[in-house]
Amino acid sequence: MQNNDNIEREQTTAQGGEEQREEQQTIEGEAADKPEKRGSRPRRGTTKRDIISRVKSLYAILFLVGIAIIARLVWIIAISPSVRHNAEVMEEGIFRMRDIDAHRGTILSRDGEPLAISSLRYSIFLDFGSQGMAEVDSMLYITYADSLSRLLASHFDEKDASKHGYTHITAAQYRQTLLNERIREGKKLRHYPILPRQITEDEWNMMQRNYPILNGNMGYVIDDRKEDERIYPSGDLARQIIGHYDTLVIRDEKRFGAGIEGLYNRWLAGTDGKAREQRIAHGFWARVNDSDNRPVEDGCNIITTIDAGLQRMAHERLDSMLRRTDASFGVAMVMEVQTGNILAMVNLGSGVERGTTYSERVNNHALRTKMSPGSTMKLATTMALVEIGGYDLDTKVNTEHSRPRHGVKVGNATIEDSHDVAGEGSDGNVTLRDAFAHSSNVYFAKAVYERFKERPEEYTDFLARLRFNDYIGLEAYNEERGKLPMANTTEWSHRGSTSTRLPRLAYGYEMELPPIHMLTFYNGVANEGRMVAPRFVDRIERDGEVIERMPVVTLIERMCSQRTLAILDTCLAAASERSGRYFRDLPIPFGCKTGTAQVWTNFVSRSRIDSIHMANGLNGKEDNYYYGSMICTMPQENPKYTIMVAICKQSTPENILYFGIDLAGPVAADMMEYIYSFDHSLHAPIETPTQRYSPVSIKAGQTGYVKRVSNILGQQTTDNSDNSRWSSASVDAEGNVAISGITIDEGTVPNVVGMGLTDALYLLECSGIKVTHSGVGRVKRQSIPAGRTIRDNMTIQLTLER
């Protein structure tokens, strides 16, 4: 083997030598063929220069290729939309930026009851293309689907469907959906909403514990999307004040929300957060740190001035009165005198069928429905007559015994009173105090006309200074401005003249005001002449800390003089004395004024009957619509609250009531009783007795009870009962009690005089005697004397007295 290897190497070497010799000969031949230039020297380094030239060319080519690559990269990154789109799709498949919704704040009553809250709701989606659902045994899946279908149909039953407004789904329909979705083509792209509505967190936790498939026993992927749902726990309660925060388009104008929800939306909404998430598995994402992450800031809580208990009571009482009187709408309000806080504001409007259903959602009548106020305007007229007209409580005007169908001509207006205020046999003259108490239209029409007919602008300017022709600070809540005709203007002479308009203006016609304006005016009188704007919000809080407190806004620092205020207080007290039949149970004095006015202007209503009448505009007596109101200040001395109730209705033969005292009086009385019951500062102070109280007498009865009462109430007790079961007690002038036993002999009538009815009935009926009784208190007399023998069917008559 070694010899063969040596021979092969020698042959290879010999061949290589021959090739080298042939190459050398070729080079020499080429050199010989080229003619030599005369005088030139032989060129050296030709091969080196050739190599360098080739390298430079290569570098140039590489440089140009690099420039092209960079240009392509710039195109891809900065210009190419398709490439950029594909990159973003890949990026989003791995990372995503997720918005985190802030939890909307809560609107609370002044006592902490939630009026509007946001509650988490879950939308449940099943992924029928998940690995666990695809690989599970078909028979096992069918078993689970059957069980889940029955449970879902039972939980989301017909009652639940009716309550939440969706179509009820049967167990068979649920089962068919669960089976069909599992075998549907393209199921990997399918996230199916299996539940008919959003569910609460408690419902979802229950289903995760108890419902198959939903409890994750098949390894499926589920998407439980959380959403905030606005809930109003008390239903319609104060809904016009709370409002809404969704966007509406009204008369081509985009308006965001209304009421507290809309006005305080930036506080309630909070600030949404952002978080970058990375996909870790199909349907699962994990949050990662990122400089763009932003924490969520939940909304603040709005603390309103509303007293939830008072609002609820006023709502119920007003609703009951509207149903009973077949009314079109009604308003009930309570205002705190010094702060302007609205403690209650109820706005109820009729449904389609008047007298059946009433809702807060029809219209904010308290702020937006303008009506002629009627006789409640006489307080402002009295202020003008006293302040600038020189009147006092005893100033008299001849009412000429005006009464229904016996009108009095004042200027060019014919005016009637509801009754003869002066009374038969009098000269017809009435004082200001009596005219206000009896609500005489003629008195005020004559007084204003005679005093201001030469300069009517003096009267209208005075009313304008009281803001009857302006807003009262609630423009943000869409408050309507008061409409007061001003003398010496085009509007003043448009529908009449001074001789027509001025007398009618004196008792509340020829002008239109929302109810909140009259409430605010009366509240200013009660607040010693300082008119403050109504308030619905007291403060804004976050986590119990006050962020901002709403100020008390003064509209008029001084409405009139102290002398005028004293006269107005007297007039209000005089009017309350004539309104006593609905206020007999109210233990504190108050001031008030009622008003009744015919309705000449249309108003918002869902009622079918109202719509028919308003089709061509309301026309006073022809349509018989009336606006009855009552405004009260309580207590009479140093008032703390101002209460107003107003009801608008049509007077019909079936329901003829229309006077303010009959419509608004009962509701106002109930509201005032409620306020008195819960505000202990209105109660008379309890004085500590200087000496111990001793009873005048103590009922006879079982000895144990007689002793217990005697020991508590008596000054000194002497027990002579000798362990008798029944005893009587006598009390002397010093309050000392002596207890004596009562002997009960079997077969004889017992002595029950001095006992209460319960003990007397027990003793007599146990003895076989039938008992009749009359009166209340303790037994004063028994018709059959004690000790008489008992006979069959014996009946005894007991007379009880206090």
Side-chain angles (χ1 to χ4, degrees), residues 462-502:
F462 181 84
L463 296 182
R465 288 197 297 273
L466 299 176
R467 303 184 74 91
F468 286 117
N469 201 27
D470 203 348
Y471 299 101
I472 44 93
L474 299 177
E475 299 95 317
Y477 291 88
N478 296 323
E479 166 208 0
E480 285 287 339
R481 181 175 183 169
K483 184 180 179 182
L484 171 70
M486 302 299 293
N488 294 340
T489 63
T490 304
E491 181 188 9
W492 181 260
S493 57
H494 180 63
R495 285 175 48 200
S497 60
T498 296
S499 60
T500 302
R501 307 196 78 167
L502 189 60

Side-chain angles (χ1 to χ4, degrees), residues 628-663:
S629 61
M630 184 172 190
I631 307 177
C632 307
T633 58
M634 67 175 292
Q636 183 178 312
E637 187 175 348
N638 298 321
K640 192 174 180 181
Y641 304 99
T642 308
I643 300 95
M644 179 176 185
V645 178
I647 292 176
C648 177
K649 71 176 295 290
Q650 183 185 23
S651 179
T652 62
E654 297 79 17
N655 208 312
I656 198 171
L657 287 179
Y658 63 88
F659 281 111
I661 185 63
D662 298 314
L663 295 176

Side-chain angles (χ1 to χ4, degrees), residues 284-298:
F284 291 92
W285 298 77
R287 189 172 299 179
V288 296
N289 289 328
D290 190 272
S291 59
D292 291 332
N293 286 357
R294 185 178 67 198
V296 65
E297 186 178 75
D298 290 335

Side-chain angles (χ1 to χ4, degrees), residues 240 250-251 255 258-259 329 331 333 345 347 360-371 471-472 474-483 512-517 536 601-604 627:
Q240 285 294 339
I250 301 175
R251 297 173 186 170
R255 297 184 183 179
F329 72 84
V331 172
M333 297 178 285
M345 178 179 282
N347 288 277
E360 271 264 352
R361 307 189 191 193
V362 176
N363 188 38
N364 193 337
H365 293 288
L367 272 62
R368 297 190 54 77
T369 300
K370 295 193 292 187
M371 293 282 174
Y471 299 101
I472 44 93
L474 299 177
E475 299 95 317
Y477 291 88
N478 296 323
E479 166 208 0
E480 285 287 339
R481 181 175 183 169
K483 184 180 179 182
E512 295 175 358
L513 299 172
I516 190 69
H517 281 225
F536 295 117
T601 56
N602 290 0
F603 52 87
V604 176
Y627 176 74

Side-chain angles (χ1 to χ4, degrees), residues 583-653:
F583 301 89
R584 292 191 183 98
D585 295 332
L586 192 65
I588 60 172
F590 64 96
C592 76
K593 185 70 188 79
T594 60
T596 306
Q598 289 182 335
V599 177
W600 297 79
T601 56
N602 290 0
F603 52 87
V604 176
S605 177
R606 292 178 182 171
S607 167
R608 177 178 53 83
I609 298 175
D610 291 342
S611 299
I612 293 172
H613 283 276
M614 289 189 290
N616 297 317
L618 296 182
N619 191 20
K621 290 184 178 181
E622 294 183 13
D623 294 303
N624 282 330
Y625 276 84
Y626 291 88
Y627 176 74
S629 61
M630 184 172 190
I631 307 177
C632 307
T633 58
M634 67 175 292
Q636 183 178 312
E637 187 175 348
N638 298 321
K640 192 174 180 181
Y641 304 99
T642 308
I643 300 95
M644 179 176 185
V645 178
I647 292 176
C648 177
K649 71 176 295 290
Q650 183 185 23
S651 179
T652 62

